[in-house]
Structure formats: C-alpha cells, structure tokens
Amino acid sequence: ETGVTQSPTHLIKTRGQQVTLRCSSQSGHNTVSWYQQALGQGPQFIFQYYREEENGRGNFPPRFSGLQFPNYSSELNVNALELDDSALYLCASSQDRASKNIQYFGAGTRLSVL
Amino acid sequence: DQQVKQNSPSLSVQEGRISILNCDYTNSMFDYFLWYKKYPAEGPTFLISISSIKDKNEDGRFTVFLNKSAKHLSLHIVPSQPGDSAVYFCAASVQGAQKLVFGQGTRLTINP
C-alpha cells in the first residue's frame, strides 16, 4: 500500500511568483486536505477536496486554490506569493470526508519565498 | 484564536519512565481528538485517537485520557523509549467538519 507522497520536497520562489504543489493520495482514499505549517507552529487547515469538489476551507485568501483529479491526486496553487507564505505545506488523505476518519500525512513540501 | 493549546514546548524524560504530554482546548463542540507524532523531515504520523463519548483509550504503550469538564486531554507513554523522541501534536475536530485543529506541538526527548 503506497502512502501519501508530495512533490517537490523543497522549493524556492520569489515574492509575487506563483507555485504549484502536488500530492498523491494513499491508495483507497478519496479525500485530500492541505495544511500550512509555519515554523514552531502546528499545521493550519487550508482546504479539503472530496471527489474533485472543495469540501471546506480554512481562513486563507482566495490566492490559495486547489484541484483534485479523478485519480484523487491533488494540487495546491498559490498565486502572488508573499514572504509569509514560507512554510511547510502538508497534504493529508483519508478514506472519506467524515470527521472521524484518520488523516494520513505526506512528508510535505518546504516552500521558501525570498 | 488558539482553540487547541499545548503549553509545554518541550519535555525531557528518562528512558523507561512515563512521558505525559498535555493539551487543552476551548471549543466545546470538539468531539474527536487525535495525537500525531512527527520526526524531522517526515509528515505527522497518527498515533491514537479518542471520541468524546470515552474518557480513555489505550493502544500498547500509549494511552490518551480525556477530561471533558476541564477541556483537557493527555497522552501517556509507558515505558518511554529513545525512538519516542519526536514532536507530538494534539488535534481536534468537530463532528461533520472537515478540518483538524492542531496545537503548537511538544518536543519530547527521551534520555538514555
């Protein structure tokens, strides 16, 4: 059984640029959630996708957007990058969108905005 | 508004002893709680969870206790082993909601 995989592992961008991060769900999982983890903090929920539709969103501006594909893989897009967007971005998959389903995390993509 | 708080940034415990990690929450609508462990350069790994209808859940060396009246949960690790050295996050969710709300994490170090 393949776990959650994310790419790339590290990324350096400059302010104002756009970035796309990718995530492959664990086999059998149809729900993907994205989190942002700033240094010294816990992960913060960005949004969740269930069967290719956004299924809940945290307190992040519209320049954070996402996609989920028919194979349940997912992308996180961030436009007009700001210095504060520098963080570890975590993707998590779960068997279903119900709150008591365990979310399984990938290793993350570390984004640095200069 | 920090709804889930882990007030101890770090904890050091001797190998073989009990490790107790604490977590407080403010939102009384939370009904499901989880603990994750994170090693450097890896994603958080699920450890153990508890529903609000219970006050204790045990899995091997790991036990989670929930005190709803105090809005407090704790993770006990007995006996502590060097491989337990990691950052531990508690997380909570509201039934029907999609997101996990995480605490800031506690770095546990097990000394030989």
Side-chain angles (χ1 to χ4, degrees), chain B residues 3 5-8 20-27 33 35 50 54-55 64-76 90:
Chain B
Q3 296 186 63
K5 291 185 182 179
Q6 294 175 255
N7 291 317
S8 298
I20 300 176
L21 297 102
N22 294 303
C23 180
D24 297 297
Y25 62 95
T26 57
N27 188 344
F33 303 88
W35 284 94
I50 187 167
K54 294 186 173 182
D55 54 18
V64 56
F65 295 92
L66 175 62
N67 182 334
K68 289 185 290 293
S69 61
K71 294 191 179 69
H72 178 83
L73 67 154
S74 60
L75 174 68
H76 291 209
C90 67

Side-chain angles (χ1 to χ4, degrees), chain A residues 9-76:
Chain A
T9 53
H10 294 86
L11 204 49
I12 299 174
K13 292 284 188 178
T14 55
R15 195 170 43 181
Q17 285 189 311
Q18 178 266 343
V19 69
T20 298
L21 311 181
R22 295 180 173 83
C23 172
S24 291
S25 305
Q26 186 165 316
S27 176
H29 289 183
N30 61 18
T31 303
V32 172
S33 304
W34 286 91
Y35 292 81
Q36 180 195 65
Q37 185 180 9
L39 205 59
Q41 302 295 318
Q44 281 205 307
F45 177 75
I46 302 174
F47 43 56
Q48 184 183 82
Y49 278 81
Y50 170 71
R51 294 187 176 178
E52 303 177 59
E53 299 278 337
E54 188 178 290
N55 183 52
R57 189 177 183 93
N59 189 25
F60 281 82
R63 59 190 185 83
F64 285 77
S65 63
L67 280 174
Q68 188 181 31
F69 301 99
N71 66 355
Y72 303 130
S73 65
S74 177
E75 285 182 356
L76 164 65

Side-chain angles (χ1 to χ4, degrees), chain B residues 9-47:
Chain B
S10 63
L11 177 67
S12 187
V13 174
Q14 195 169 3
E15 182 179 358
R17 299 287 185 102
I18 182 171
S19 295
I20 300 176
L21 297 102
N22 294 303
C23 180
D24 297 297
Y25 62 95
T26 57
N27 188 344
S28 57
M29 298 297 290
F30 287 144
D31 69 339
Y32 191 57
F33 303 88
L34 308 91
W35 284 94
Y36 282 84
K37 175 170 77 172
K38 188 178 186 303
Y39 293 120
E42 295 184 13
T45 303
F46 169 72
L47 263 180

